[in-house]
Amino acid sequence: MMELVEANWILLVAALLIGLLVAWWIFAASRKTRVSGDRRDVLDEGADPATRNQALIDSAAAARADTPVPIPQAIPVAAAAGDDLTRIKGIGPKLRDVLVSLGVTRFDQIAGWSDEDIDRIDARLGRFEGRIRRDNWVEQAKLLAAGDTAGYENRFGRL
């Protein structure tokens, strides 16, 4: 084995160098990020001074460190006059809060939704998207808005 290495050491070194070059090209050279284009911002150095000054004037004032940040008061769900939307199967407290923030507070609102209304509201439900049709909220809301507890329990189970 040693004789083979001694006789072909030049070929082994050349193969090693070629292998290192190919590995460098695969892992390093082809991974460089290239930035192209010249998009300048009005706040960059060298920008037109009048435009730069106007952008600074129009921007919101920076908050001072000693100025307290007002914390908005949470509106309790009970304060939003309406029905208990959690009675609809598939609506929990978090989803109820999302619906209230969208202005949906009563069963008769949900009962009157058209397909377009369902699509519009469903698109704003985030991770709850698809629940309206899957859980059949409109039919549940129609029964609850009408006060038909027996019909609701026959169709959807106990409240």
Side-chain angles (χ1 to χ4, degrees), residues 18-34:
I18 291 172
L20 288 173
L21 286 173
V22 169
W24 173 79
W25 183 76
I26 290 174
F27 294 111
S30 63
R31 303 262 189 251
K32 290 184 181 173
T33 303
R34 292 173 182 86

Side-chain angles (χ1 to χ4, degrees), residues 19-149:
L20 288 173
L21 286 173
V22 169
W24 173 79
W25 183 76
I26 290 174
F27 294 111
S30 63
R31 303 262 189 251
K32 290 184 181 173
T33 303
R34 292 173 182 86
V35 178
S36 61
D38 184 27
R39 258 182 70 159
R40 298 182 57 96
D41 189 57
V42 295
L43 297 180
D44 288 342
E45 286 298 322
D48 178 38
T51 307
R52 188 169 185 218
N53 290 342
Q54 190 60 45
L56 290 171
I57 291 169
D58 293 341
S59 67
R64 293 180 29 187
D66 60 345
T67 305
V69 177
I71 299 172
Q73 295 295 322
I75 299 171
V77 176
D83 298 318
D84 181 12
L85 297 179
T86 59
R87 292 178 64 193
I88 295 177
K89 306 267 188 214
I91 299 181
K94 289 184 181 182
L95 194 48
R96 175 202 53 211
D97 294 343
V98 171
L99 290 171
V100 168
S101 73
L102 295 174
V104 179
T105 59
R106 296 184 326 273
F107 296 136
D108 61 341
Q109 287 176 296
I110 298 172
W113 282 351
S114 65
D115 285 337
E116 293 81 24
D117 295 329
I118 292 172
D119 293 338
R120 182 178 47 81
I121 296 291
D122 198 36
R124 302 200 51 205
L125 294 183
R127 65 186 177 122
F128 300 110
E129 190 171 350
R131 298 289 295 267
I132 298 172
R133 286 188 174 95
R134 186 172 57 240
D135 295 334
N136 204 354
W137 290 2
V138 174
E139 187 178 346
Q140 291 186 58
K142 285 178 183 176
L143 293 170
L144 290 171
D148 186 3
T149 306

